[in-house]
Each structure stands twice: as C-alpha cells, then as structure tokens.
Amino acid sequence: MTGMPAAVLKEEINRKDQRGARREALMEQFRKATPAICLERTLAFTRSHKKTEGQPVIVRRAKAFREVCESISTPIFDHELVVGTLGNGHRLGVLCPEMSWRWLVEEMDSITTREAEPYAFSDENRKRFLEEIVPYWKGQSLEEFCLDRMPEEHKKIGIGTGVMDTEMKWRSGVGEITPDHQDILFKKGYLGIQREAEENRQKFDNLSPESREKIDFYNAVIEICEGMIRLGLRYADAAAALGAKTDDPVRRRELEQISEICRNVPAHPPASFHEGLQMIFFVQLGCLLAESSPAFNVGRFDQFMYPLYAADIASGNITRGEALELIECLWIKLSEVFWLLTENGAKYYAGYCGFQNLTLGGRTRNGRDATNELSYLALEATAGVGLHQPSVSVSIHPETPEEFLIEVCRLARQGHGMPAIHNDRIATEMMMYKGLPPDEARDWNGLGCVVPSTRKVSEWTYAGQYNMAACLEWTLNRGRSRKTGRQLGLATKDPAEFTSFEELKETLLDQVRHVIKIAHETTLIQQTVHREIIPRPFFSTVVDGCMESGKDLTRGGALYNAGPGWVIVGCADTANGLAAIKKVVFDDKKATMAELCEALDNNFEGREDLRQLLLNAPKYGNDDDDVDELQVELSDFSDREFRKCKDILGLPFHSAIMGLTFNIPTGNSLGALPCGRKAGVPLAEGSSPHPGTDVSGPTACMKSVAKINHESQPGGTLLNLKFLPRVLEGERGLQGLAALVRAYFELGAYHVQFNVVDADTLLDAQINPDKYRNFVVRVAGYCAIFTELTRDVQNEIIRRTIHETL
Amino acid sequence: MNEAAVAPEKGRRRVFRGGMMQGVIFEIERWSLSDGPGTRTVVFLKGCPLRCQWCSNPESQSKKPQIGIFTAKCIQCGKCAEACSIDLARPAKDGGFAEGGVCAACGDCVEACPSRSRRWLGKLVDSGEVLETIRRDMVFYRKSAGGVTFSGGEPLTQPAFMKEILEGCRKVGIHTAVETCGAFNWEASEAAVRLLDFVMFDLKHMDPVRHAEITGASNKVILENAKRVAALGIPMLVRIPVITGINDDPENIRATAEFVRDHLPSAVGIEALPYHKLGLTKYAALGMEYQLHHITPPDEARMEMLRGVISEAGVACITPDTGYIPDPVQPKLKAFG
C-alpha cells in the first residue's frame, strides 16, 4: 500500500470493512438458520410423474426436474451476492422419494430430535409427505427395487451390521460428479447444450430401438436445459422485483445486478467473474435438485474461473478485494446446501455436509504448474469464512510454488482442517489406473472427501465399504460375530488349532475374499437397478461424451467410465492385530491362541497383562517394517481381489482406504481385537494409524503410511495427522509443515490433512457449544461444525487429538 | 527409584567392537522443528557434568542406563515382583520397591513388565544402530535442509562415540548439529566438534559464582569452549534458558549478549528459551526431587523485554519466526575426506 494517496487508502480500508461486514452478516444469517427438510422439490417431482405415466423413464425424470425448476420458491436473502436455494428456506436438504421415502416414514418421529443431524420438518410437510408422496412412490423406489433383488445372504452382512455398507447406493442417488465447466457449461451455457441436443436429435429416426432410445435421451436433455434456463430467469425476476421494493440504493443496485446476471446465466456462458460464480451455484442447485446425493464437486475452480477473473481485473471491472468478497459469498452458499441423511447415514457422514469438493493448484493438462492468483484468493476466502464447505483440496507437485504451499500450511494451521492436501503425481497415477490417458489424468480434481476423479469420468468412486477387522474377528471366532454370536463369515477352523501364523493369515484372507465376493454381487445388482429406474439426464448434460453418444451416464454414455470403488475400513487394526498375534503368540510364545481368544471373548476382563503385551507389540504408524509390511500386504490383497471383479460395463472394481466416519459404527459392531483394542472402540480412520498408537512422531507415521502402494488404492487414501498448535508456532512451524508435505509426497503417498487443535479447546466446545457456533473441525476427509456433530463423533475427534504422554 | 537402582556397569564401558563404538543414549526423537535448522532427528546422549535445577531431562544426568518407573501405566499385575531375584521390585502403584535392599538394576523386572510401566531410561547402543535410525528420515532432511542434532545430557561427554556417528553422517551428507552446555573436555572432544555443521551453545549465567550455584559448576571452561568453537568458524547459536528469578535479570542477559558480540564471531544470534515444566513426570519416574516447583515460566512480555536487551547489544534474536540462520542460508554439505 506504500505510495497510495491517503484518500484512496482510506477508501480501500472502508471497503475492506464493508467486505468483512457482509461476510459477518451472511454468517450470522447462516448461524440462525435451522437445517430443514424442504418438500418443494419432492412435491413438484411427484406432481410431474403423475402427469407422465407411460413415458420413457429418462424423459419422465427430466420433465419432473423441469417442473421443479419452474415451481420451487426463489427466495433471495439479505446481503447475498450469489443467490439460490433448494426451495423455501435457508439451509435445506431435499428428499428424493424415487430413491427412498421409507426411511423418512420410519424415522419421522425422531427426525427433528435425533442426536445426529436433526432436521426441522413442519407438520404441514409431514402431512403432505404421508398423504401425497408416500402413496405414489410405494413400490417404486430405488430402495425397494434394490432390497427386493438383494439376496438374504447379502442383507445379513450388508445392512446395519457394521460389516459392510452400501446404503448410499440403494437409498440415494450416485452423486459423485464434477460438472464440466471448462468444456461444456462455461462454453455453451444451457442454451447451447439445448441447441446441440436439438441438432443431434435430428440425426436419428424412430426406426430402431437404439435410435428411439437416443431420441428419448436428447428429449430429456432438452427438458433439463429448459428447466435450468427457467430457474435462472425466475431468479432474475425475483431479484428485479425485490430491487424495486428496496429503499437502500446500494442494495437496490446489487439486486439489479443480480437480476442481470441471472438473465444471462445459466442460459449463456458467464461473461464476468461474478456471473461465473453464480453459474457454479446454479449448477450445484441443479445437481442437488436432480438427485439429493453427496459429492457434486466444483472441480478446478482456480483453473476455469481464472480467464474471467483476469479479464475483469484487466478491464477494471473488479478489484482483487471485490473478487474475494464474491468468492466468500459463494463459499457460504455452498455451506447452506446439504445431502439429506438417514439415521444410519448420519452415523457415517454426519455434519450437514454436501461433500462439494473444490480443487486448487495442481498441473495443467500438459504438465505445467497451474497455480495462479485465484488459487491464493480461494485459500484466503476459505480462511476468512471458516465454514465447512466447500471441501477445499489442494494439489501439490514438485513445481508448486513455495509461497502457495506456505499459504496452504498457514490455512491448515488455523485448525479447521482445511485444506485437504493431495499429491498431484499420485492422483494422476490413480486416474491412469482407473483407465484415463495421462493428460486427462493430470487434469484430475478432488471428489467428495479425498477421492481423485475428473470432470471427464463417470464412476461410483464409493460403491460401499467393508470392515476388514470383522474378517479378523471371524478368523478368530470361526466366522461368528463376537458381539452377537451370529455366523456372518466363513465357518473356518477353531482358532486354537492354528499351527502357524501363516495359516492364520491365509484364513483371514479367505474371509476377506468371501466379503469381496458379496460386495461384488451387491454392486452389480445396484448398478442394474440404477440403470433401470434412475437414469441421470441432468448429469448427462454436464459430462463429456453423453451428448455425442446419445446415451445417459447410467448406460455408459460418458467419454470415460471407471469401475466401482470399495473402501476398506479397519485395515490398520487388522495389520496391528496380526502383528500382535505374531509377536505374542507365535514368536515370543507368551500366550496361546486359546488364551488369546478367551481374553477377546471376555473383552480382556482379568487379562490386562495380556492386553498390555498386545498393545506393546509393533503398531502401524511407527515406521516399523514388521507391521507396516502387513498393512501393505492387506491393502495390496484388497486391490488384487477387487480388480478381478467386473461391473455392468465390464470395468474392473478397485479399492480405497479412505474414511468419513466409517470407523465409528464399524468399530461399534466388533468385540475386542488382538491389537489390544477393546470392544466397541472406533477403528483406525482411513489409512491413518489407530489413535494413540503412533508414538514415534509425524515422520515415522508418514513413512509407515507411505509404504502403502497408494496408486493401487485409486478410490483414495487418507492420513489425518494431529498437531498441538504450539508445536507449529512461527514461520519455523509453517516451513516445517511444508517440508513434511513435500517429503511425504516424495515417498509416494497421496493425501494428508492436518488437525491443529488441542483437546482442551474441543472439550470446552463440548461444554460450551454456544461459544463455538461455527467452530469447524476436520472430521475425516471432510469438515463439519463441531457442535453439530454427534457426541460419538465429537468424542472420537477428541480421542484422536489427545497425544499419548508418558 | 534412586541411584541404588542404577546398573553399575552398563554405559561405563565404551567397547570398540569391529570398528563400532558404543555409547549410552536415552532417546531418539524423530521430527523436531526447534533443535536446529529444518526438520531434525534429535539423539539424546546420557551423562551431564552439570546439575541444573531446572533440567527438563533428569534422566540425562547420569551416564548409566536407569530403570524408570511410570506409575500411570502400572496395572498392578505383580509380574515385576515375581521376576525380581532379590524380591525388591513391586508394582509402581505400590511404590515400585519394597523397603530395604539394593537394586542391582539387572532389568529382569523391566523384561517382565507387560505395560511398559517399568522401562529402561537409557541403553547401550552401537553407533551404527544410531546412524541407521538417523538415516530413516533422510527424505525429510532433504526437503527441509534439516539433519541430526545431538543433545542430552552433554553429548560431548561421549566424544569418540559422537565422532564415529558424525563421520557416518558426513559420508551421506547429513547436516549435523549439537546442543551443548559447554562443559566438556576440549582435548577429548575437538575432533568431534570439528565435524559439526552447527553448534547450539547454552550460556546459563555469565557470573561464575552464580553459575556454580545454579548448575553445580563454574562457567570458566564453558566460556573458553565457546570461544574455541567460534574460533573454528562453525556457525553457532547461543541459547539462554530463561528461568524466572534465577538468570532472567536484564544485566545477565546483557552480559551474555555482549560476550557473544565481542567473543563469538561465528554466532548467528541468541535464542532465549522460556523455562517450562514438561519434564516433571520424569522426576517422579526416577524418584528424584524437583526443586523449582514454585517457579512460574516467564510470560511473553518478559521474554519480549529480554529480547529487546539482546537486540540493543547488537546481537540478533532467534525466534520461531526467524529461522535458525537469520539470513536464510542453506546449510552446506561438507566434502568428505
């Protein structure tokens, strides 16, 4: 600011204060809003379906979407510069009855009061839901189709057991899409897409079933486009009407400008930075209105927004500060929308989160550094807003500027868990493993929590999760659950009769193979049902290839398709368990298998001495090859077994070791484990060591985790590393963090995030929630407001924050 | 536990076996940002000629491996008592030892303890073993211009052991540093010192009498050694542990800064480190008395004032914000040979 005339300087300061004031006002509105279920989409969608009986499913879904766009409320709230909501309210989730209505009937009594993610749900809406929605969708939902076809054997271990979980794919849409702003939306706008569909439709006649299907597809796309265009125009009208009623000249001018913007986007390509941001949010709304699912990603924000930013800066249309304020407005909007969760779902994905990933930095398609001014601005906005969305990911490679990495570390040190830090090179290898050519792979972006994906690919990155520690439990209990006694796994031999460690390990692998077989079949059934009853015309407009192929995403219409991913939970606990058995039983012979199993049966009651021996055996996370190699062996095994499985498009499955809060319910379902963990305690999270067992410092922990072959887990891996704030003080602390990231990535690991918070702060937030109304913490690959989490999840975060002391 | 529980022989021997020196260390801490430039592995050697009242590593003072007894970890299983051949060991929660008798520090109870409530503090290791652990974090040193730091205790009380490790580090280009109290035998240590890339040198008090009162020894040798290190041209950082009421008067700080300015041309600056009480559990584990319970750590205002005194004397202050070398020069690798 040196050399700036005093008057200009003063004006700049004033404007800065205003920016802060707008952000604060928006945040205050956010804090006051209660998350609610909105029924407008549900009602409109159902109304449309009643009118379209007999028509092709894809056309019906598109027409219903259009009806939603044409009828939902279009409120604009005070101070907003980016507008739009999912209906009649501020923080909303929408119910998709075509996916599942039953859960809400079952959970209606507890939905407003439950501990995990309660939602407001008005009496009026309850009544309409039961009278207008339920009767129509009875027998027609994804849930019912999937459950009808799911063999009993699968249900036994796959529903509510903590052994295997696929609920996200039978009660919810797929989600997991990054709309292609670069090559589709920002180039064509919805009018352009519509025109293209009309032209393509001309190429086909009605004479073959294939042609008819393509014509249906293009008709559906046209409906979607008209819906989106209409939604924009309705917001334009609403802004104009509101502006006319507004006395404050400044706000009136803002509303007029919003009206102009919404008249242009999403129909046309955005012509300014502000329009680009509004376009992004309209597309996010479209995604959530089409199907309430997680992981609709903004993608590489700094890349596709930069040309608009640079042009506006060059023409004097906008200042850096104004751009920052606009970005903050978008960030707050992204935190308002969320994915509606069942009670079971809330155990896994709690936190009113949309899992809208946004990626910064990385490389261009031709492999050069892609960091630009917007990369920094986006970090600044994230630091300023401090909310849980978007899920900011950064992509780091050897040529990432030092300054950028230091700013990333500065943000990480704030303690809100943002951003997720990714290794660009490994992400690229993962994408190549999933079948993409190198240049497309380099253009990867984060999806959901920590998954590498791109706007060019259609995939189920998360088809489900399985609990590997359950397989260990079965190995040591003849296939039975230690908690319930039920026979869930293979009835293998009496564990007391294992004569060698190798024999025990092979038995474990048999149990894992058994689960993977069931996982494979379950996903095939679910993919088939999705294809039949919930084609995705909206998403087919935002992914390359569908327009050309005339095929919907569920039919493999995208340019690139990748096979489904399955997440391993409890890999570290399994490796630790094996290592402990090897040391204590087979090497040191300090206990027999029979003694061990008896102690596990009794949750170590009376055998604390044995438990201590097990606890003090080698543990993953300390750069100890004896146990780390078991972790590598197990994760490689999962990869090899899954890739033998092929999905309905003939594509290989793949494996992942990432997280969410899977580790809590999966841990709850298990008895004591041979690593010394007691019954019910959460498992290790993602690829991270089990809390409190990595006692050799962050470098040893990182070395252990980096031994996993990350590129063979292309559904993502996750390391959550905890630091006490005082360890990272000063520039020295930032440099130290940056060096850790560089070294970890040189070792070939994929992702790390830092939780820089002390347990005292978290405990205080539990006791005084009002003081911490927007205290955001990293949960597991994503962030949430601490006080909005369940006690279980809060306790888990505290547990892994407390470092073991002498 | 008391001195009686110390193994009499272990650690006293420095056996030269097949070109492999042995020494006594009590910990290797991987990843530190506050013990020299970049990411450091810190090797803590046992044995110190000083007895500073505020010492945060009481287990570092004796040269011998000792048995530490950590009450919080004890599960009272009684395995220590069963293992003890002279029926002296008792669970930590029952006091650790029976009355009377002298512990021979044979380690049988440590071996028997399943919960690591009884644990060796210090062990005799080969230099090669230490080097192996140091090398495990090579990639982290490379990315941060970091390396290894020898701390203690007074690491230069084991100069031959140190020298062998330092030579090993030099061979593979690992930056080396030492944290020394300065009280070491120059003739015995010079060869090791010459291999160091960076020296962090404690000056606890400038007044010889006061120094003897608070540390048990005069500062005469210490100040001489400081000048000798500086004369070798090795970059050095002088550190003052600031202990409330003991050495935190501006006069002492000023005298220290002036000494650095006038006699230590290779010094990059002074780092004033506020006293802390993080070592307290270890006093309990060793059955040692902690004498400074009444002292509170200096607050930030006091530290700021003292840093002002240092700056006024014309010496750079090193803080977490400055890095170890104020003008950020990457540590150079010395050519081997």
Side-chain angles (χ1 to χ4, degrees):
Chain A
M1 298 237 172
T2 41
M4 202 181 268
V8 177
L9 184 64
K10 194 160 172 244
E11 196 186 333
E12 181 65 21
I13 290 168
N14 279 339
R15 294 173 60 87
K16 209 166 184 175
D17 287 348
Q18 276 169 23
R19 274 204 298 281
R22 186 190 305 275
R23 183 181 69 211
E24 279 319 303
L26 289 170
M27 295 282 283
E28 188 54 29
Q29 281 170 199
F30 176 87
R31 278 190 287 266
K32 280 186 182 151
T34 306
I37 300 178
C38 177
L39 224 50
E40 291 191 346
R41 182 267 187 202
T42 320
L43 289 162
F45 208 81
T46 306
R47 194 160 64 234
S48 169
H49 270 79
K50 286 178 181 166
K51 290 187 279 193
T52 59
E53 304 270 359
Q55 296 182 22
V57 178
I58 190 167
V59 175
R60 296 185 73 193
R61 287 185 59 74
K63 284 186 172 170
F65 176 82
R66 181 176 170 177
E67 175 115 11
V68 173
C69 293
E70 288 176 343
S71 65
I72 59 167
S73 304
T74 52
I76 294 170
F77 302 103
D78 290 347
H79 314 291
E80 288 186 334
L81 295 178
V82 174
V83 302
T85 82
L86 293 169
N88 186 20
H90 219 121
R91 291 180 70 184
L92 297 177
V94 300
L95 178 75
C96 294
E98 74 276 22
M99 310 293 179
S100 169
W101 49 267
R102 184 184 280 163
W103 73 273
L104 190 53
V105 174
E106 287 167 1
E107 298 171 21
M108 186 161 285
D109 291 337
S110 60
I111 195 80
T112 56
T113 53
R114 68 184 189 188
E115 198 208 349
E117 266 204 49
Y119 308 125
F121 193 35
S122 69
D123 289 345
E124 157 79 9
N125 276 345
R126 283 169 198 251
K127 188 161 172 289
R128 297 193 72 178
F129 172 67
L130 290 175
E131 288 172 8
E132 296 173 40
I133 307 297
V134 173
Y136 184 79
W137 292 102
K138 208 164 201 166
Q140 303 300 318
S141 67
L142 173 71
E143 168 175 353
E144 291 154 289
F145 276 72
C146 284
L147 291 186
D148 275 356
R149 295 190 202 176
M150 198 164 161
E152 283 308 314
E153 184 70 12
H154 296 198
K155 288 186 196 166
K156 197 170 83 185
I157 71 162
I159 297 178
T161 57
V163 172
M164 215 177 96
D165 191 272
T166 57
E167 190 184 74
M168 206 199 270
K169 292 295 181 275
W170 56 265
R171 271 186 158 173
S172 164
V174 177
E176 308 190 68
I177 286 283
T178 305
D180 192 342
H181 291 104
Q182 286 93 316
D183 293 331
I184 302 178
L185 293 158
F186 276 34
K187 276 206 179 130
K188 304 172 183 171
Y190 274 96
L191 259 179
I193 300 170
Q194 184 177 348
R195 250 178 248 128
E196 220 174 306
E198 284 164 357
E199 281 162 23
N200 285 353
R201 187 174 58 179
Q202 302 294 321
K203 296 177 194 158
F204 299 96
D205 54 39
N206 245 333
L207 298 177
S208 71
E210 293 77 30
S211 291
R212 275 203 298 279
E213 208 175 278
K214 284 185 198 290
I215 290 172
D216 291 340
F217 172 78
Y218 290 118
N219 282 337
V221 167
I222 292 163
E223 293 287 340
I224 296 288
C225 293
E226 287 186 348
M228 285 300 286
I229 294 164
R230 192 75 200 103
L231 186 65
L233 293 177
R234 291 181 64 233
Y235 268 102
D237 293 344
L242 198 58
K245 286 191 291 185
T246 304
D247 295 331
D248 175 5
V250 176
R251 182 61 182 158
R252 190 188 315 136
R253 179 68 204 114
E254 285 172 4
L255 285 164
E256 284 164 8
Q257 203 185 352
I258 290 168
S259 176
E260 285 163 32
I261 288 169
C262 296
R263 232 166 266 291
N264 198 46
V265 294
H268 303 278
S272 68
F273 185 69
H274 193 165
E275 288 194 3
L277 296 173
Q278 183 62 56
M279 180 88 167
I280 291 171
F281 196 62
F282 274 137
V283 173
Q284 288 303 114
L285 289 180
C287 290
L288 283 155
L289 291 169
E291 60 181 53
S292 173
S293 311
F296 299 123
N297 313 288
V298 176
R300 300 189 66 183
F301 177 83
D302 56 352
Q303 302 308 298
F304 65 81
M305 287 296 290
Y306 186 73
L308 294 171
Y309 174 77
D312 275 3
I313 290 282
S315 67
N317 205 11
I318 201 171
T319 65
R320 187 183 190 277
E322 286 164 348
L324 178 61
E325 179 179 52
L326 287 168
I327 296 172
E328 290 176 346
C329 288
L330 175 65
W331 270 211
I332 293 169
K333 291 307 287 180
L334 290 168
S335 289
E336 287 175 6
V337 294
F338 56 89
W339 166 44
L340 215 57
L341 291 177
T342 64
E343 187 158 358
N344 181 51
K347 285 184 204 154
Y348 292 105
Y349 325 107
Y352 301 105
C353 197
F355 301 96
Q356 303 154 105
N357 206 306
L358 183 144
T359 307
L360 304 171
R363 285 179 296 170
T364 60
R365 293 166 78 84
N366 62 3
R368 311 308 305 159
D369 176 51
T371 316
N372 62 39
E373 178 61 17
L374 266 187
S375 321
Y376 292 88
L377 264 182
L379 288 182
E380 216 174 312
T382 308
V385 172
L387 279 174
H388 55 302
Q389 286 285 291
S391 290
V392 176
S393 296
V394 296
S395 174
I396 304 296
H397 60 95
E399 297 263 44
T400 296
E402 256 359 271
E403 294 85 348
F404 184 64
L405 182 54
I406 289 292
E407 289 312 311
V408 164
C409 292
R410 198 184 302 281
L411 176 58
R413 196 174 61 177
Q414 272 195 359
H416 300 310
M418 297 257 193
I421 306 171
H422 295 269
N423 185 350
D424 188 37
R425 297 200 161 232
I426 297 298
T428 302
E429 285 183 25
M430 286 171 161
M431 293 313 292
M432 288 170 69
Y433 185 26
K434 290 203 266 190
L436 275 86
D439 57 344
E440 304 280 15
R442 258 176 240 131
D443 193 27
W444 77 278
N445 60 265
L447 176 149
C449 55
V450 297
V451 185
S453 186
T454 91
R455 57 201 163 95
K456 299 293 179 192
V457 74
S458 167
E459 56 179 333
W460 288 20
T461 69
Y462 168 75
Q465 51 168 309
Y466 77 99
N467 183 344
M468 193 182 257
C471 299
L472 179 60
E473 177 165 288
W474 298 343
T475 305
L476 301 175
N477 202 28
R478 286 185 265 191
R480 291 190 312 261
S481 158
R482 195 155 254 125
K483 190 176 175 185
T484 64
R486 288 184 69 194
Q487 187 73 38
L488 298 176
L490 299 172
T492 45
K493 76 190 281 188
D494 181 347
E497 288 167 20
F498 288 128
T499 52
S500 70
F501 175 69
E502 288 305 314
E503 188 189 11
L504 185 150
K505 195 172 73 187
E506 285 309 314
T507 309
L508 165 73
L509 297 181
D510 286 342
Q511 297 283 9
V512 175
R513 227 178 255 120
H514 170 70
V515 171
I516 290 178
K517 180 167 174 283
I518 294 178
H520 179 200
E521 290 172 9
T522 301
T523 296
L524 284 179
I525 294 167
Q526 289 167 355
Q527 285 187 318
T528 308
V529 177
H530 274 256
R531 172 185 279 192
E532 284 170 18
I533 74 161
I534 47 166
R536 313 177 77 192
F538 175 86
F539 301 97
S540 301
T541 66
V542 295
V543 178
D544 233 1
C546 297
M547 181 63 81
E548 293 72 24
S549 64
K551 282 201 292 193
D552 180 80
L553 288 179
T554 57
R555 280 157 176 72
L559 191 55
Y560 298 102
N561 290 281
W566 268 82
V567 174
I568 315 171
V569 188
C571 194
D573 303 274
T574 312
N576 285 343
L578 287 178
I581 296 173
K582 182 169 186 295
K583 177 161 175 54
V584 175
V585 178
F586 291 100
D587 292 351
D588 295 353
K589 300 191 169 39
K590 290 200 172 172
T592 63
M593 281 305 298
E595 267 181 276
L596 172 69
C597 292
E598 197 191 335
L600 296 178
D601 282 338
N602 298 325
N603 198 19
F604 297 114
E605 279 306 308
R607 288 311 304 271
E608 185 57 27
D609 58 327
L610 177 55
R611 178 168 173 262
Q612 289 294 332
L613 284 174
L614 297 164
L615 280 176
N616 288 313
K619 292 280 179 283
Y620 168 69
N622 297 288
D623 194 13
D624 180 334
D625 287 337
D626 286 346
V627 55
D628 293 350
E629 274 162 17
L630 288 166
Q631 170 89 357
V632 174
E633 188 179 342
L634 292 170
S635 50
D636 279 353
F637 178 81
S638 189
D639 163 46
R640 275 197 308 276
E641 288 302 308
F642 269 115
R643 72 178 183 233
K644 290 180 197 159
C645 309
K646 301 288 184 292
D647 79 347
I648 59 167
L649 296 172
L651 299 163
F653 281 55
H654 55 79
S655 176
I657 324 178
M658 50 107 178
L660 306 173
T661 47
F662 296 163
N663 60 322
I664 301 172
T666 48
N668 190 38
S669 74
L670 297 178
L673 288 175
C675 54
R677 168 200 154 281
K678 288 192 174 179
V681 173
L683 300 174
E685 167 217 1
S687 324
S688 311
H690 190 94
T693 63
D694 53 325
V695 293
S696 311
T699 59
C701 173
M702 285 180 144
K703 281 198 70 187
S704 279
V705 181
K707 287 175 200 171
I708 296 172
N709 294 301
H710 290 251
E711 68 279 14
S712 13
Q713 304 291 332
T717 60
L718 178 151
L719 170 62
N720 200 334
L721 210 52
K722 281 74 71 177
F723 290 96
L724 295 172
R726 66 174 161 77
V727 181
L728 299 174
E729 63 180 350
E731 288 300 305
R732 197 189 276 174
L734 291 180
Q735 304 274 1
L737 263 189
L740 279 180
V741 170
R742 294 268 191 207
Y744 185 54
F745 288 175
E746 180 159 314
L747 290 168
Y750 166 65
H751 158 275
V752 62
Q753 67 203 23
F754 300 112
N755 238 356
V756 187
V757 64
D758 53 41
D760 291 345
T761 308
L762 296 170
L763 289 166
D764 192 43
Q766 263 193 338
I767 299 162
N768 304 303
D770 288 342
K771 263 168 59 188
Y772 295 88
R773 290 279 293 283
N774 50 340
F775 175 48
V776 170
V777 294
R778 195 93 195 164
V779 181
Y782 71 97
C783 293
I785 296 175
F786 185 75
T787 52
E788 290 185 349
L789 295 166
T790 67
R791 202 80 176 175
D792 269 0
V793 177
Q794 288 181 354
N795 288 342
E796 165 64 5
I797 292 170
I798 292 172
R799 189 173 79 99
R800 64 178 195 226
T801 304
I802 298 172
H803 289 240
E804 201 187 44
T805 49
L806 281 170
Chain B
M1 118 127 206
N2 46 46
E3 279 293 311
V6 165
E9 282 311 310
K10 278 184 193 172
R12 203 162 278 170
R13 290 175 304 165
R14 303 234 173 74
V15 185
F16 196 73
R17 261 198 233 137
M20 200 72 95
M21 291 295 297
Q22 292 195 309
V24 181
I25 64 169
F26 65 92
E27 200 184 345
I28 298 183
E29 184 190 346
R30 292 170 66 173
W31 196 70
S32 167
L33 299 179
S34 47
D35 295 284
T39 298
R40 318 278 320 170
T41 292
V42 188
V43 180
F44 292 89
L45 288 87
K46 241 166 117 45
C48 184
L50 301 187
R51 289 292 178 272
C52 304
Q53 296 163 353
W54 58 87
C55 180
S56 61
N57 290 331
E59 75 277 37
S60 74
Q61 296 177 358
S62 163
K63 272 189 183 174
K64 306 158 202 162
Q66 293 161 283
I67 297 172
I69 299 175
F70 295 83
T71 310
K73 293 215 156 225
C74 178
I75 59 168
Q76 285 175 291
C77 63
K79 294 236 183 324
C80 48
E82 280 171 34
C84 182
S85 58
I86 54 172
D87 193 29
L88 191 62
R90 293 289 179 272
K93 284 190 176 149
D94 302 331
F97 292 97
E99 291 294 320
V102 177
C103 171
C106 66
D108 287 350
C109 60
V110 173
E111 191 61 28
C113 177
S115 66
R116 290 175 41 82
S117 161
R118 296 177 108 82
R119 166 170 8 149
W120 280 113
L121 294 177
K123 61 175 175 176
L124 189 67
V125 291
D126 294 339
S127 62
E129 203 180 323
V130 176
L131 202 53
E132 196 47 47
T133 308
I134 293 170
R135 292 184 65 166
R136 291 194 87 101
D137 278 345
M138 199 70 198
V139 64
F140 295 92
Y141 312 146
R142 267 188 236 134
K143 293 292 172 184
S144 66
V148 63
T149 298
F150 298 89
S151 185
E154 172 46 56
L156 289 166
T157 55
Q158 303 185 43
F161 176 62
M162 278 268 293
K163 179 167 169 283
E164 199 165 277
I165 303 173
L166 289 170
E167 282 166 347
C169 290
R170 185 174 273 216
K171 256 184 208 169
V172 291
I174 295 174
H175 179 271
T176 58
V178 70
E179 288 173 333
T180 176
C181 69
F184 57 83
N185 179 315
W186 180 259
E187 284 66 35
S189 305
E190 183 179 349
V193 172
R194 282 177 177 273
L195 289 166
L196 288 162
D197 295 311
F198 192 60
V199 172
M200 285 166 276
F201 203 108
D202 268 18
L203 290 181
K204 283 143 183 148
H205 210 290
M206 291 308 289
D207 178 66
V209 177
R210 186 70 181 129
H211 194 279
E213 280 167 19
I214 61 176
T215 70
S218 155
N219 63 5
K220 185 165 170 287
V221 175
I222 294 171
L223 297 180
E224 274 169 23
N225 280 342
K227 290 188 210 165
R228 286 166 173 150
V229 171
L232 291 176
I234 302 172
M236 61 194 292
L237 167 67
V238 169
R239 303 219 271 197
I240 310 173
V242 178
I243 326 290
T244 313
I246 290 189
N247 68 351
D248 68 335
D249 48 301
E251 294 69 33
N252 177 49
I253 303 296
R254 187 173 305 112
T256 311
E258 285 168 0
F259 174 78
V260 170
R261 183 192 63 201
D262 298 341
H263 298 286
L264 306 180
S266 75
V268 296
I270 293 178
E271 183 173 36
L273 296 167
Y275 158 80
H276 63 77
K277 288 187 176 177
L278 299 174
L280 278 188
T281 47
K282 295 188 286 192
Y283 275 87
L286 289 163
M288 288 167 67
E289 193 70 35
Y290 188 68
Q291 294 172 16
L292 299 185
H293 278 292
H294 57 286
I295 287 191
T296 50
D299 59 17
E300 185 45 35
R302 180 92 191 159
M303 294 302 294
E304 191 55 49
M305 186 272 282
L306 295 179
R307 283 195 290 265
V309 171
I310 293 167
S311 302
E312 273 168 32
V315 177
C317 274
I318 304 296
T319 70
D321 275 325
T322 60
Y324 281 89
I325 303 167
D327 179 23
V329 181
Q330 301 287 313
K332 280 185 222 101
L333 300 181
K334 288 184 187 168
F336 175 63

